Amino acid sequence: MQAGTKGTELVKFFFALSEPIRLEIIRALLSAKELCVCQIVQAFGLSQPKVSFHMRVLREADLVLWKRRGRWVYYRLNLENPMLRAVLPFIEEGMEVSKIQTTACEVGP
Amino acid sequence: MQAGTKGTELVKFFFALSEPIRLEIIRALLSAKELCVCQIVQAFGLSQPKVSFHMRVLREADLVLWKRRGRWVYYRLNLENPMLRAVLPFIEEGMEVSKIQTTACEVGP
DNA sequence: AGCTTGCATAAAAATAATTTTATATGAAAT
DNA sequence: ATTTCATATAAAATTATTTTTATGCAAGCT
């Protein structure tokens, strides 16, 4: 996804979702209302900079929102994004039903 | 999109759409019922192997169907793909209305 | 059959994305 | 004020994708 690309928004959107780790993070965020970086790090056994890198891609594609609370940074899906909403059913597909978020849940440190 | 990836189908789908040239080809196929490679080459001023490369990515993501007729190979959108159908409205967005296919049209050599 | 056209594919070269390693920042704790 | 923790960001190293260049193949023409 080189710089100066036209139609960037759409390209960024698809690009962000075209990576297995990022898709898994999206799925995790679908199950948990929100997650801080350390939870994602632990859940997937990834390095922290790696997770931060991918979260940035997701952020810049407008797929997630973030908020700092104390020392932690929490990420959650940007469900206001209509494109995300359009593809979520396909991302959910194959997920265990039990893992799909139906109600808010307490998470995190 | 490294080899041996899990959840390949979805990743391939998003990956195929995460590239400006491929998105433009999708848009062109939306306007023209079907296009042969030489038409895409001419329409965008791309080299033939480049177009073939991108068409293969689109094929392997199940986004397009192809058929040889004589010496020409024609590509068209795989509108049976439900994921493609889900995102098409967003891909159309910003396209000139006049370019959006409403009826079949005669194209090609 | 031999030529030409349209296209796929392979190999090499160029470019871009990801991962790792190292460092910086903001917030709380001591 | 210093230290510690959680995380972002930068730089370097690695890996993947894209582009270019070269070649091969199928189909029609002469």
Side-chain angles (χ1 to χ4, degrees):
Chain A
M1 201 184 45
Q2 64 278 25
T5 289
K6 270 299 205 80
T8 308
E9 201 187 324
L10 208 52
V11 171
K12 272 190 185 168
F13 170 79
F14 289 125
F15 178 83
L17 293 173
S18 71
E19 216 276 341
I21 291 177
R22 290 195 289 267
L23 262 186
E24 283 308 311
I25 292 174
I26 294 281
R27 289 201 172 102
L29 289 172
L30 209 52
S31 306
K33 182 189 169 67
E34 61 180 10
L35 291 171
C36 67
V37 173
C38 63
Q39 291 178 306
I40 299 171
V41 165
Q42 292 180 339
F44 295 102
L46 303 170
S47 73
Q48 175 266 308
K50 195 166 180 169
V51 171
S52 283
F53 168 82
H54 287 297
M55 295 321 290
R56 192 222 269 247
V57 175
L58 292 173
R59 256 192 281 139
E60 294 184 343
D62 207 33
L63 290 172
V64 298
L65 303 172
W66 62 332
K67 179 162 46 173
R68 178 180 278 274
R69 270 209 308 278
R71 301 190 264 200
W72 294 274
V73 173
Y74 288 86
Y75 285 92
R76 62 195 168 87
L77 293 182
N78 178 11
L79 293 171
E80 314 242 296
N81 182 331
M83 291 193 279
L84 178 57
R85 296 233 296 251
V87 301
L88 270 188
F90 301 98
I91 295 178
E92 281 178 356
E93 220 163 76
M95 271 179 75
E96 295 170 39
V97 174
S98 66
K99 288 198 173 173
I100 298 176
Q101 168 200 3
T102 49
T103 58
C105 67
E106 282 309 304
V107 293
Chain B
M1 201 185 47
Q2 64 278 25
T5 288
K6 271 296 206 78
T8 308
E9 199 188 328
L10 207 52
V11 171
K12 271 189 184 166
F13 170 78
F14 289 125
F15 178 83
L17 293 174
S18 71
E19 219 274 342
I21 290 177
R22 289 193 292 266
L23 263 186
E24 284 307 313
I25 292 174
I26 294 281
R27 289 199 172 104
L29 288 172
L30 208 52
S31 305
K33 181 186 169 67
E34 61 180 11
L35 291 171
C36 67
V37 173
C38 64
Q39 289 177 307
I40 300 172
V41 164
Q42 291 180 337
F44 295 103
L46 304 171
S47 73
Q48 175 268 309
K50 195 167 181 170
V51 170
S52 284
F53 169 82
H54 287 297
M55 294 322 288
R56 192 222 271 247
V57 175
L58 292 173
R59 257 192 281 139
E60 293 184 344
D62 207 33
L63 290 173
V64 297
L65 303 172
W66 63 331
K67 179 164 42 176
R68 177 182 278 275
R69 271 212 304 280
R71 301 189 264 198
W72 294 274
V73 173
Y74 288 86
Y75 285 92
R76 61 195 169 88
L77 292 183
N78 179 9
L79 293 171
E80 312 242 296
N81 183 330
M83 291 193 280
L84 178 57
R85 297 232 296 249
V87 301
L88 270 189
F90 301 98
I91 295 177
E92 280 178 357
E93 219 163 76
M95 273 180 75
E96 294 171 42
V97 173
S98 65
K99 287 198 171 172
I100 296 176
Q101 168 199 5
T102 49
T103 58
C105 66
E106 282 308 304
V107 293

